[in-house]
Amino acid sequence: MTEQPIIRFENVTKQYDDDPPILDNVSFEMEKGKFYTLLGPSGCGKTTILRLISGLIEATSGKIYFKDKLINHVPANKRQVNTVFQDYALFPHLNVYENVAFGLRIRKMKNDEIDKKVREALRFVNLVGFENREIKEMSGGQRQRVAIARAIVNEPEVLLLDEPLSALDLKLRTEMQYELRELQQRLGITFVFVTHDQEEALAMSDEIFVINEGKIQQKGTPRDIYDEPINRFVANFIGESNIIKGKMIRDFLVEFDGKQFECVDQGFSPNEPVEVVIRPEDLEITTPDRGKLNVKVDTVLFRGVHYELCSYDENGNEWIIHSTKKAEIGAEIGLYFEPEAIHVMRFGETEEEFDARLESYDSYGDKDAD
């Protein structure tokens, strides 16, 4: 028997006065014990989802459930969720211990029980020995750990994190990504993490919700969304992409850049207009006679682990290439790619239609195996 979702949105809209809706008829489910990331540009509605879950705002329409209980009008302090805010919202006049203990004191818990819970929470976030430290004496990463300890000491079933890594430098952000992921797995509770950083989302999540203009564009695992983006927005927002207009000649054969190529996509109408995505790392630099496409190198940047080449084909299409091989500016090179590197996107396809088409690929493979 499938366990009931811990959070469920049914046709939820949030709108202020006559302004365009911040969230527009959004539906989704979240399972217990998973790390979810809400990913999208500023103003897309991801923080609004967090605030609706926490009870800080109410939906204009639609239903929000927590473990199958309708919670639209349940006040924030009665919900089994806690939030870690972007600025951490710590009390500067209290030390680490008292910051973590604050919520427990509000609940009038006994001192010995408070002490036990605070010390356990600090152990979880590797801050044992920092109990008497003043907040102003803590680094950014340490302050974040205090904020998380203060949230988890209340034993929430869901922890909401609103861009908590955005104020940290790159090295510390990377370290905290590992720590947050490990902490979520140790606690076994549901994390809902908000970010506009796609690398962060790919590194940490069990599932990603890509959001734009108040709508969820695509839901799925990091690999699913990276390998099979549903539309141009998702393809561009998750990693770098080469996107070019094309035509699906028939199943497993697509045309773009004036040539036809074998691919692994199916379920399109004959000669249907499409968009084609090829990731920069899937393009192999070769000689012009071996290349499926020929391009001229325009710029070369060294990115540390690879070179990034910007090039153009004879039709003026731009091609970004990530390769450990270096090519000289102005050189004519060939680009080779496998059929699996080509991802074909249908214009205006809903997520339900997209998922059904991908499932048909599996069915085809099963028949092939028979």
Side-chain angles (χ1 to χ4, degrees):
M1 183 176 176
T2 305
E3 189 174 350
Q4 66 183 12
I6 194 164
I7 296 169
R8 176 158 53 95
F9 274 39
E10 283 187 4
N11 308 113
V12 173
T13 293
K14 180 61 182 177
Q15 186 172 16
Y16 293 99
D17 301 323
D18 294 326
D19 294 337
I22 299 171
L23 277 187
D24 189 4
N25 198 36
V26 167
S27 298
F28 63 80
E29 294 182 351
M30 291 179 172
E31 297 177 22
K32 182 179 178 180
K34 282 191 173 183
F35 196 121
Y36 290 91
T37 296
L38 309 180
L39 175 68
S42 297
C44 70
K46 54 189 187 294
T47 296
T48 299
I49 291 176
L50 226 60
R51 292 166 66 84
L52 287 165
I53 294 171
S54 68
L56 294 176
I57 58 174
E58 288 192 9
T60 306
S61 62
K63 297 178 180 179
I64 302 172
Y65 293 89
F66 189 90
K67 296 202 297 189
D68 264 3
K69 178 186 176 184
L70 187 67
I71 61 167
N72 284 53
H73 304 299
V74 174
N77 64 341
K78 300 293 184 184
R79 301 191 183 192
Q80 294 172 291
V81 304
N82 272 89
T83 305
V84 177
F85 296 98
Q86 187 172 356
D87 60 0
Y88 311 144
L90 299 172
F91 301 114
H93 63 289
L94 300 179
N95 63 20
V96 169
Y97 185 99
E98 290 302 327
N99 261 279
V100 178
F102 183 81
L104 303 179
R105 297 200 189 283
I106 292 293
R107 289 160 55 186
K108 301 190 184 324
M109 196 174 281
K110 293 180 180 179
N111 284 337
D112 58 345
E113 194 171 352
I114 289 175
D115 188 66
K116 178 183 176 183
K117 287 183 175 294
V118 169
R119 294 187 185 281
E120 184 178 10
L122 290 174
R123 180 178 59 81
F124 257 112
V125 297
N126 298 318
L127 284 178
V128 173
F130 288 80
E131 291 84 355
N132 298 318
R133 186 76 61 91
E134 297 296 321
I135 294 301
K136 65 183 179 182
E137 298 171 344
M138 308 287 280
S139 69
Q142 289 169 338
R143 291 182 189 187
Q144 188 205 54
R145 291 193 191 98
V146 175
I148 293 170
R150 189 177 63 180
I152 66 174
V153 78
N154 294 299
E155 299 178 350
E157 294 199 53
V158 176
L159 185 62
L160 309 174
L161 302 107
D162 190 4
E163 302 204 48
L165 307 184
S166 60
L168 306 180
D169 63 59
L170 180 60
K171 186 174 185 297
L172 186 54
R173 281 182 79 152
T174 304
E175 290 174 2
M176 291 307 298
Q177 287 171 17
Y178 284 106
E179 290 195 18
L180 271 180
R181 184 61 172 141
E182 183 185 354
L183 178 64
Q184 185 271 329
Q185 291 171 338
R186 277 191 284 142
L187 289 171
I189 65 176
T190 304
F191 275 32
V192 185
F193 183 88
V194 164
T195 186
H196 59 266
D197 186 316
Q198 48 95 1
E199 289 185 7
E200 219 162 67
L202 291 171
M204 300 170 68
S205 314
D206 290 313
E207 290 196 30
I208 299 173
F209 294 7
V210 184
I211 306 169
N212 189 40
E213 296 181 345
K215 291 182 179 292
I216 295 177
Q217 301 290 311
Q218 189 172 0
K219 303 185 291 285
T221 66
R223 180 160 290 281
D224 286 344
I225 288 179
Y226 187 83
D227 289 343
E228 300 285 350
I230 191 173
N231 56 32
R232 177 180 281 263
F233 173 82
V234 175
N236 274 327
F237 204 82
I238 301 285
E240 293 189 68
S241 300
N242 296 293
I243 305 176
I244 187 169
K245 285 184 169 55
K247 181 169 62 176
M248 200 68 187
I249 303 302
R250 54 174 169 77
D251 285 351
F252 314 117
L253 187 67
V254 65
E255 179 180 291
F256 58 90
D257 206 25
K259 302 179 181 68
Q260 294 185 359
F261 303 93
E262 292 181 7
C263 64
V264 296
D265 294 274
Q266 59 174 304
F268 295 84
S269 303
N271 298 315
E272 179 178 344
V274 294
E275 287 187 302
V276 173
V277 179
I278 303 180
R279 296 289 187 181
E281 65 271 19
D282 290 330
L283 294 171
E284 178 189 338
I285 296 175
T286 186
T287 56
D289 60 298
R290 279 197 69 240
K292 291 187 174 182
L293 291 173
N294 290 335
V295 296
K296 185 175 182 179
V297 178
D298 187 63
T299 59
V300 179
L301 296 175
F302 180 59
R303 296 292 190 187
V305 295
H306 63 258
Y307 292 97
E308 181 175 283
L309 288 71
C310 176
S311 60
Y312 292 87
D313 62 33
E314 59 184 7
N315 297 313
N317 297 308
E318 182 184 51
W319 293 91
I320 302 296
I321 308 147
H322 291 169
S323 175
T324 54
K325 294 181 181 178
K326 184 180 179 182
E328 299 300 322
I329 294 174
E332 299 275 354
I333 60 173
L335 298 181
Y336 180 83
F337 46 89
E338 298 289 347
E340 292 79 8
I342 300 172
H343 171 63
V344 180
M345 301 186 300
R346 171 175 267 153
F347 289 102
E349 191 168 39
T350 67
E351 190 165 20
E352 291 74 19
E353 293 167 340
F354 177 74
D355 289 341
R357 180 161 61 82
L358 292 189
E359 285 176 16
S360 74
Y361 292 14
D362 295 334
S363 300
Y364 180 89
D366 293 342
K367 290 177 184 175
D368 227 27
D370 293 341

